[in-house]
Amino acid sequence: MENQKFIDQASDLANAASDLAEQAALLANEATKLPATLAGSGGNEFVLLLTVFVLACFVGYYVVWRVTPALHSPLMAVTNAVSSVIIVGALIAAGPAEVNFAKVMGFFAVVLASVNIFGGFIVTQRMLAMFKKKPK
């Protein structure tokens, strides 16, 4: 009976995560329309992008803290995959020939995402090793 309760909770969390992903997709869709609107009205695009970044930080924080402890290992694996996508975007940002702010930030993104990926894999391996049976 305890297993069924755990399965139901995991299913509810998966549904909640799916709903959050849909809301985030809608928010991202609307956020991509805003720079074009602000560019025509003389708004400051940096403030808009900073606002989107801060909101994404808050959403990420609350999503991670709502995960049950049993799902932290799979969450670590997913974050490692997301970091690999960040590296691709950072390489694109660091790609232009001239040295500018985007290239410097792209370089730092590559370095930090690499540390996150390798550190995440090390932590995941240690967590999985805790569950292996030790030979007698």
Side-chain angles (χ1 to χ4, degrees):
M1 194 62 170
E2 183 69 27
N3 288 338
Q4 185 61 37
K5 182 179 176 185
F6 180 72
I7 291 171
D8 291 341
Q9 287 177 345
S11 176
D12 291 342
L13 281 173
N15 290 335
S18 175
D19 292 341
L20 280 174
E22 289 175 12
Q23 291 174 358
L26 290 174
L27 180 63
N29 188 20
E30 291 300 318
T32 56
K33 295 177 185 176
L34 285 176
T37 305
L38 288 178
S41 65
N44 190 350
E45 187 176 342
F46 176 74
V47 173
L48 173 72
L49 294 175
L50 182 65
T51 304
V52 170
F53 174 74
V54 170
L55 289 174
C57 288
F58 280 115
V59 168
Y61 174 80
Y62 284 110
V63 166
V64 169
W65 280 107
R66 287 184 157 206
V67 172
T68 61
L71 297 176
H72 278 283
S73 293
L75 182 65
M76 286 294 294
V78 171
T79 23
N80 290 334
V82 170
S83 290
S84 65
V85 173
I86 292 170
I87 283 188
V88 172
L91 287 172
I92 291 170
E98 69 279 348
V99 175
N100 57 17
F101 184 70
K103 189 167 187 167
V104 172
M105 294 307 290
F107 172 75
F108 284 127
V110 169
V111 170
L112 293 176
S114 298
V115 168
N116 187 27
I117 289 173
F118 296 119
F121 280 122
I122 291 170
V123 169
T124 303
Q125 290 298 324
R126 283 187 170 184
M127 289 174 67
L128 292 175
M130 292 183 345
F131 294 106
K132 288 183 180 178
K133 292 183 180 180
K134 296 179 182 173
K136 292 183 180 183

